[in-house]
Amino acid sequence: MNNMHAFSQEVSCDSLLDSLFFYENQIPRMKNIIHVSNCPIYSYRSHAHASWAEIVLIAGGQGVYHVGRERYEVQAGDVLLINRMVLHSCESSPSDALDAYTLSLCEFQIVDLEPGMLLPADTCPLIKTGDQFPFVRELFSQLLFQSSEKRPGYRMVCDHIIFVLCRFFHQYIQDSCNHIRSKSISQLASEVLEYIEENFTSNITLEGLSKRFFVTPKHLCHIMSTECGISPIDYVIRKRINSAQWRLVMEDTSIKDIAYALGYESQDYFTKQFQKRTGMTPSTYRSRYSKVLKFVSP
């Protein structure tokens, strides 16, 4: 309570009205919030988002996140800020399962940053909350509760919480001096990733990508493999499988319909690809993860 009181003096509700933190005072829109816990096999493959950024809070357990080109071992109290179009993946420790919240934000622009950016591209995304961890954890818990219950005024409460979180993490970054990491990927790689993000359910081929971006297939594979650690077509497959993972848990849609929606011509081929990359069938994945993951959209 003392931490919360001290922090509220710096970022009061009144500051929402006159803040110049967001362009046009537009608080980010919460796309969704996800909470996963008690699942030692929890993981997702490398992917990026074209339209939203993410804030990840590690509430317990341990695991490994890859963000951009860097690897981060995380534990309780750690926060990761993941900009739009930044590759990231996650793997929980099998002996100490992750307890993690993932908050997805869209339709915002922080002053002096590009749209959808939570922090400068050359900044380390990992934040140690230290003695502020209980306060930050309570804010994420409240976001999940408010979005689930949808009581009168919940959207205003969520907006206030999101503002405080963004302001807090931005202050932390500004006060830190050891947050420089490796340079960001090239414009070509970024544009290819963004195109795949928006069209991965379509029939994408290496030849088609090469023609679209005016490079040879060999050069395109070299750029993507060197800068992103993955070939263009393998990234398409990962996007499809990752999308399938979330849809299997979040929706009641049949496995057959999910397969067709993601661009697969048959359920059997989709099942083989899914099992090859996750180690389990779609039906097994759905039954296991539905028990440990809570997904809420406002």
Side-chain angles (χ1 to χ4, degrees):
M1 179 64 74
N2 289 336
N3 286 339
M4 186 177 298
H5 176 69
F7 190 71
S8 65
Q9 290 178 342
E10 290 189 30
V11 185
S12 66
C13 292
D14 291 341
S15 67
L16 291 174
L17 300 177
D18 59 1
S19 171
L20 296 179
F21 184 55
F22 294 108
Y23 277 116
E24 300 180 355
N25 288 334
Q26 179 63 49
I27 303 297
R29 183 173 70 83
M30 182 171 69
K31 183 177 184 295
N32 55 58
I33 183 168
I34 299 167
H35 182 215
V36 63
S37 61
N38 301 319
C39 185
I41 62 171
Y42 176 68
S43 66
Y44 54 79
R45 291 181 174 274
S46 183
H47 67 288
H49 305 293
S51 304
W52 67 89
E54 293 181 338
I55 302 177
V56 179
L57 170 67
I58 308 302
Q62 300 181 66
V64 174
Y65 277 77
H66 286 86
V67 182
R69 305 180 190 181
E70 304 296 331
R71 179 180 186 274
Y72 301 96
E73 295 183 1
V74 297
Q75 58 187 347
D78 289 347
V79 168
L80 287 162
L81 305 182
I82 304 173
N83 287 332
R84 62 176 292 277
M85 293 314 304
V86 171
L87 286 169
H88 56 286
S89 63
C90 164
E91 184 174 354
S92 176
S93 166
S95 59
D96 190 7
L98 278 173
D99 181 340
Y101 292 85
T102 301
L103 170 63
S104 300
L105 302 174
C106 59
E107 300 176 9
F108 70 95
Q109 183 174 3
I110 296 175
V111 173
D112 296 330
L113 293 178
E114 295 296 318
M117 301 276 281
L118 291 167
L119 72 172
D122 61 350
T123 303
C124 175
L126 179 64
I127 290 175
K128 301 282 187 180
T129 60
D131 59 6
Q132 293 290 335
F133 170 49
F135 173 62
V136 175
R137 179 177 56 191
E138 179 60 26
L139 291 181
F140 274 84
S141 178
Q142 276 297 315
L143 274 177
L144 189 66
F145 173 78
Q146 293 289 336
S147 299
S148 301
E149 296 295 317
K150 293 181 171 57
R151 296 177 178 179
Y154 82 95
R155 288 187 181 275
M156 181 179 292
V157 174
C158 289
D159 283 349
H160 280 58
I161 294 174
I162 289 169
F163 177 88
V164 171
L165 285 171
C166 291
R167 206 68 172 99
F168 174 49
F169 296 139
H170 194 259
Q171 286 179 341
Y172 182 94
I173 292 169
Q174 289 179 320
D175 292 340
S176 299
C177 59
N178 296 315
H179 273 258
I180 303 301
R181 62 177 177 85
S182 58
K183 63 181 181 180
S184 57
I185 61 176
S186 66
Q187 182 177 349
L188 172 60
S190 178
E191 289 178 354
V192 172
L193 287 177
E194 186 162 5
Y195 177 78
I196 293 175
E197 281 288 324
E198 296 173 351
N199 299 278
F200 66 90
T201 60
S202 303
N203 181 27
I204 296 178
T205 65
L206 181 60
E207 291 73 19
L209 287 173
S210 300
K211 292 179 180 179
R212 183 176 188 85
F213 293 100
F214 305 102
V215 293
T216 65
K218 182 178 180 180
H219 180 65
L220 182 57
C221 285
H222 174 73
I223 290 294
M224 293 293 293
S225 298
T226 301
E227 298 190 15
C228 304
I230 188 172
S231 71
I233 300 306
D234 197 37
Y235 185 66
V236 173
I237 296 172
R238 285 193 181 185
K239 276 296 302 180
R240 289 181 173 184
I241 298 301
N242 186 68
S243 179
Q245 288 176 294
W246 292 115
R247 293 189 66 173
L248 285 166
V249 173
M250 299 173 191
E251 303 173 4
D252 294 327
T253 309
S254 70
I255 294 174
K256 180 180 180 180
D257 287 344
I258 289 176
Y260 290 155
L262 293 175
Y264 290 97
E265 296 182 356
S266 74
Q267 181 179 338
D268 288 342
Y269 183 68
F270 164 68
T271 298
K272 290 179 181 178
Q273 287 289 313
F274 190 93
Q275 187 166 12
K276 178 181 178 181
R277 293 182 175 256
T278 66
M280 63 188 80
T281 65
S283 58
T284 299
Y285 187 92
R286 169 173 271 170
S287 63
R288 287 190 183 182
Y289 279 90
S290 296
K291 299 175 182 178
V292 298
L293 188 147
K294 185 171 184 180
F295 172 87
V296 178
S297 181

